[in-house]
Amino acid sequence: MSLKTSQSIQFTGISTVGDKQVATFATNIAADQTYSNVSMNISDQATYDANKAEVRSDRDSFQDQADKLQDSLDSSDDTTDSSTATSSSASASSTAEKEADKDGENA
């Protein structure tokens, strides 16, 4: 017998316009995954319709960050322990929150 483990990170982001939450983005990232599916849930259709370009830009930024996270997992060793996975997840969430805050300031 042998034990095989894998690491997966739930990565989320929020797109805001002013103080309104307009959309959320989510993906699940795992090492050696060839494609990461990003889902977008629109929570305020009217604000989304009036700000499609900005929300789509946030979606593209989210995808770029997810791709970078995916690349970092692919380049890490196969013997990653749970503390590294937790650290990566916290870092990913923090990065998404900072990006959302920055985008809110620019709106």
Side-chain angles (χ1 to χ4, degrees), residues 24 27 31-33 39 51 54 56 61 87 91-92 97 99 103:
T24 57
T27 189
D32 298 327
Q33 185 177 0
S39 66
N51 297 278
E54 291 85 354
R56 289 175 178 170
S61 294
S87 174
S91 174
E97 289 169 7
E99 190 67 28
D103 289 340

Side-chain angles (χ1 to χ4, degrees), residues 15-20 51 54 58 100-107:
S15 178
T16 59
V17 174
D19 62 346
K20 290 185 179 181
N51 297 278
E54 291 85 354
D58 285 350
D101 289 344
K102 183 180 83 175
D103 289 340
E105 292 171 3
N106 294 336

